[in-house]
């Protein structure tokens, strides 16, 4: 198949559910004549009526010109038989997520459409290579994975299976741009880009909950302070635990039960109990109340210290110096600075307040030769906003006085300290490190480019930064060190540093 230009071509959308109607709307707004089909009698016509109300609402709010709303609706034609897709240059299927059902539909379409018609699947998890198996012209099948809600979400994953011709993927890539989307190329591997790289965002929090390291609202607060719009617990409640668990299990099974993608016992219990999140009224939280407020903690002022030294280099050490200087201003003195240190943090007389490098506080206490050690999580948003939640853990062998003082010093630095059990990597550092690691493996395996991974995660799931942007702000050695520390604690297949990172660390 030669390079195709799909601009202005007739588009047929199969499936009049939320995704299908969204795709039809976007195509029609871009000027295409759109045919909308659904196997359920009257479903396509009903969907057009609902879309009319949506477009009228947008026009009433001034978000769409009334003429544009009318023109968009006029371009969409509900059809009652699959045969009416004949003559389309592009057919996009958005039906039930089932391999056998989709494959049957695609085979039926081959007998209807012209030889050069492009067939696109909106699948979020099924192999495009598997869907093409059995087609007469498998080279024309490509993944065109939109995100919900389609009219608002910019990302489109353009998924190439082993059969997909490059010209077809390129045509869909250009068409997506013409529709106002941001496309990224990806190979057809389990989870594609977004659903694969995002797994650690849920998995690390679920692992911490299994260890009872903290309450859900504490973990959510820490990750929201790192710039994520929703914490993983409230996000899983929104998605639905049955859906999230099913996707996780699908990726796990598709990767031959690789322990990195293993589902969680915590989530399985919620699913078994019917606690599916918002749609059932209860998941991690109860609804409509939602995430409970964190308890208000009152921290005493730090005790007077004889000597305070900021250890380390880089932006976080600079922030610590500025914050400690402000905290000590009333006393008329500031901290010393020791650059080139093996660790980053504050030496407060004999005590140590240390930025996590992945090792838990009890290991850092052994390395630093003192029981008075507390470790705090990695701030990934600098400068740190006043009152931002920040996780910390204190060595079990520390004195009660240092337990109080560790929290007092963090509060004096301008953050809201939230205690965790003494776990490796705390919450933000280990989550971001594992997101970067997963993205590195995706690039290593040719699933996507680093730029594609960054765009996909920011546009597909609204991450505050892409994984390789985080890596540029951190370091290869730092990310690899956190993962190595996790592996040293848990001793399994789950935590292993990507060869992509290993090469760069070397």
């Amino acid at each position: 198949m030669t390079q195709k230009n799909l601009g202005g071509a007739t588009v047929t959308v199969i499936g009049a559910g939320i995704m299908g109607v969204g795709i039809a709307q976007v195509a029609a707004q871009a000027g295409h004549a759109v045919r909308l089909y659904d196997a359920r009698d009257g479903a396509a016509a009903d969907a057009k009526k609902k879309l009319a109300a949506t477009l009228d609402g947008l026009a009433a709010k001034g978000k769409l010109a009334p003429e544009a709303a009318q023109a968009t609706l006029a371009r969409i034609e509900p059809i009652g038989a699959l045969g009416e897709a004949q003559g389309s240059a592009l057919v996009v299927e958005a039906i039930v997520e089932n391999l056998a059902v989709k494959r049957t539909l695609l085979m039926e379409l081959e007998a209807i459409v012209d030889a050069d018609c492009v067939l696109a699947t909106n699948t979020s998890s099924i192999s495009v290579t598997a869907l093409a198996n059995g087609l007469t012209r498998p080279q024309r099948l490509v993944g065109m994975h939109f995100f919900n809600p389609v009219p608002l979400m910019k990302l489109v994953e353009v998924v190439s299976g082993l059969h997909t011709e490059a010209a077809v993927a390129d045509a869909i890539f250009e068409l997506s741009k013409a529709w106002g989307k941001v496309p990224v190329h990806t190979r057809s591997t389990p989870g594609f880009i977004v659903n694969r790289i995002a797994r650690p965002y849920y998995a690390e929090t679920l692992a911490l909950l299994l260890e009872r390291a903290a309450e859900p609202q504490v973990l959510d607060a820490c990750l929201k302070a790192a710039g994520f719009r929703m914490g993983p617990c409230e996000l899983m409640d929104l998605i639905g635990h049955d859906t999230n668990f099913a996707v996780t299990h699908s990726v796990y099974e598709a990767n031959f039960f690789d322990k990195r993608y293993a589902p969680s016992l915590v989530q399985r219990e919620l699913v078994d109990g019917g606690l599916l999140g918002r749609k059932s009224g209860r998941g991690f939280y109860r609804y409509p109340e939602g995430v409970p407020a964190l308890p208000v903690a009152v921290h005493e002022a730090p005790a007077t210290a004889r000597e305070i030294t900021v250890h380390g280099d880089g932006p976080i050490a600079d922030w610590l110096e500025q914050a400690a200087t402000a905290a000590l201003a009333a006393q008329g003195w500031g901290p010393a600075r020791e650059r080139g240190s093996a660790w980053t943090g504050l030496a407060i007389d004999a005590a140590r307040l240390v930025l996590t490098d992945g090792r838990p506080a009890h290991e850092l206490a052994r390395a630093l030769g003192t029981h008075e050690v507390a470790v705090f999580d990695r701030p990934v948003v600098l400068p740190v906003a006043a009152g931002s939640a920040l996780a910390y853990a204190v060595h079990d062998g520390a004195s009660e006085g240092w337990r109080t003082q560790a929290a007092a010093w963090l509060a004096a630095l301008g953050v809201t300290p939230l205690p965790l059990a003494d776990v490796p990597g705390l919450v933000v550092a280990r989550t971001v490190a594992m997101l970067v690691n997963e993205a590195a493996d995706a690039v290593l395996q040719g699933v996507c480019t680093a730029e594609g991974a960054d765009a996909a995660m920011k546009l597909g799931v609204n991450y505050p930064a892409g994984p390789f942007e985080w890596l540029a702000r951190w370091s290869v050695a730092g990310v690899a060190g956190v993962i190595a520390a996790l592996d040293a604690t848990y001793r399994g297949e789950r935590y292993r540093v990507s060869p992509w990172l290993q090469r760069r660390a070397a």
Side-chain angles (χ1 to χ4, degrees):
M1 185 176 287
T2 58
Q3 176 69 48
K4 293 182 66 65
N5 180 359
L6 296 173
T10 298
V11 176
T12 294
V13 178
I14 311 296
I18 293 173
M19 295 299 289
V21 172
I23 296 167
Q25 178 186 337
V26 168
Q29 282 182 299
H32 294 263
V34 179
R35 299 165 185 169
L36 181 61
Y37 172 78
D38 196 287
R40 298 165 296 164
D41 287 342
D46 289 343
K48 182 175 179 178
K49 291 177 184 176
K50 291 177 182 177
L51 179 58
T54 299
L55 293 171
D56 286 344
L58 291 173
K61 293 175 183 177
K63 296 182 177 180
L64 189 66
E67 304 80 27
Q70 293 170 8
T72 296
L73 198 64
R75 294 188 190 106
I76 299 174
E77 177 192 0
I79 58 176
L82 199 59
E84 294 179 66
Q86 204 279 329
S88 301
L90 169 66
V91 178
V92 185
E93 71 81 9
I95 64 170
V96 63
E97 196 74 349
N98 179 283
L99 173 61
V101 176
K102 285 182 183 289
R103 187 184 281 165
T104 298
L105 170 65
L106 292 167
M107 289 179 177
E108 289 178 7
L109 285 168
E110 275 211 309
I112 296 168
V113 300
D114 297 338
D116 62 348
C117 175
V118 172
L119 300 179
T121 171
N122 183 51
T123 182
S124 60
S125 61
I126 298 173
S127 165
V128 173
T129 301
L131 286 170
N133 187 9
L135 294 182
T136 304
R137 294 182 176 83
Q139 68 273 16
R140 62 169 161 181
L141 179 65
V142 63
M144 194 178 190
H145 179 213
F146 292 86
F147 289 74
N148 191 31
V150 175
L152 298 180
M153 298 296 282
K154 289 292 187 181
L155 181 67
V156 174
E157 291 180 320
V158 180
V159 189
S160 293
L162 289 179
H163 299 288
T164 307
E165 210 170 86
V168 172
D170 289 342
I172 293 299
F173 189 93
E174 294 302 321
L175 181 68
S176 299
K177 288 198 292 185
W179 289 5
K181 302 301 182 183
V182 178
V184 291
H185 283 292
T186 176
R187 282 201 309 115
S188 183
T189 56
F192 308 146
I193 303 174
V194 172
N195 281 329
R196 172 185 176 159
I197 295 177
R199 296 338 296 166
Y201 189 62
Y202 313 109
E204 293 310 310
T205 284
L206 289 167
L208 289 167
L209 291 171
L210 185 64
E211 293 186 47
R212 303 179 68 83
E215 293 298 315
Q217 61 266 37
V218 169
L219 302 175
D220 277 355
C222 292
L223 284 157
K224 284 193 285 188
F228 293 92
R229 291 192 182 182
M230 297 183 76
C233 294
E234 59 179 326
L235 181 54
M236 285 184 276
D237 274 2
L238 177 65
I239 294 168
H241 289 283
D242 51 344
T243 301
N244 190 264
F245 185 78
V247 171
T248 301
H249 197 278
S250 173
V251 172
Y252 181 49
E253 185 176 9
N255 282 284
F256 302 107
F257 305 101
D258 186 330
K259 296 298 183 186
R260 273 195 307 187
Y261 309 109
S264 167
L265 293 171
V266 171
Q267 192 164 51
R268 186 175 73 177
E269 186 176 25
L270 289 170
V271 173
D272 289 347
L275 306 178
L276 307 181
R278 288 179 180 268
K279 60 186 174 186
S280 71
R282 181 181 167 192
F284 286 118
Y285 308 118
R286 294 181 181 275
Y287 296 91
E289 295 85 354
V291 183
L294 293 169
V296 177
V298 179
H299 301 285
E300 62 184 55
T304 301
R306 294 185 301 277
E307 183 180 0
I308 298 175
T309 303
V310 176
H311 284 249
D313 303 289
I316 294 178
D318 294 343
W319 163 68
L320 285 172
E321 183 176 21
Q322 294 164 6
T325 299
L328 294 167
Q331 299 179 33
W333 64 292
R337 179 75 180 260
E338 183 171 324
R339 298 180 184 275
S341 175
W343 57 280
T344 298
L346 292 181
I348 305 167
D349 293 335
R352 302 290 184 264
L353 187 59
V354 185
L355 171 68
T356 182
D357 62 2
R359 291 176 291 176
H362 65 269
E363 287 191 20
L364 287 166
R366 188 183 309 118
L368 296 173
T370 175
H371 289 296
E372 306 293 67
V373 171
V375 60
F376 63 92
D377 213 346
R378 186 173 189 85
V380 295
V381 179
L382 292 172
V384 178
S388 293
L390 192 70
Y392 76 101
V394 183
H395 172 37
D396 288 341
S399 66
E400 286 301 318
W402 175 238
R403 289 181 176 279
T404 301
Q405 282 298 297
W409 269 105
L410 286 168
L413 295 175
V415 301
T416 299
L418 298 177
L420 261 66
D422 188 18
V423 291
L426 296 173
V427 55
V428 172
R430 71 190 277 173
T431 299
V432 170
M434 288 299 287
L435 288 168
V436 170
N437 196 56
E438 194 61 48
D441 259 5
V443 171
L444 177 76
Q445 295 162 11
V447 175
C448 60
T449 64
E451 296 78 13
D454 282 346
M457 301 316 290
K458 288 189 292 185
L459 296 173
V461 279
N462 292 315
Y463 280 6
F468 293 96
E469 291 173 343
W470 279 316
L471 181 61
R473 298 172 194 171
W474 196 345
S475 69
V476 171
V479 170
V482 169
I483 298 168
L486 288 161
D487 182 55
T489 297
Y490 297 112
R491 301 289 185 185
E493 301 172 28
R494 181 183 180 89
Y495 299 105
R496 57 183 189 270
V497 180
S498 168
W500 190 95
L501 291 172
Q502 291 177 25
R503 293 172 191 171
R504 281 150 184 80

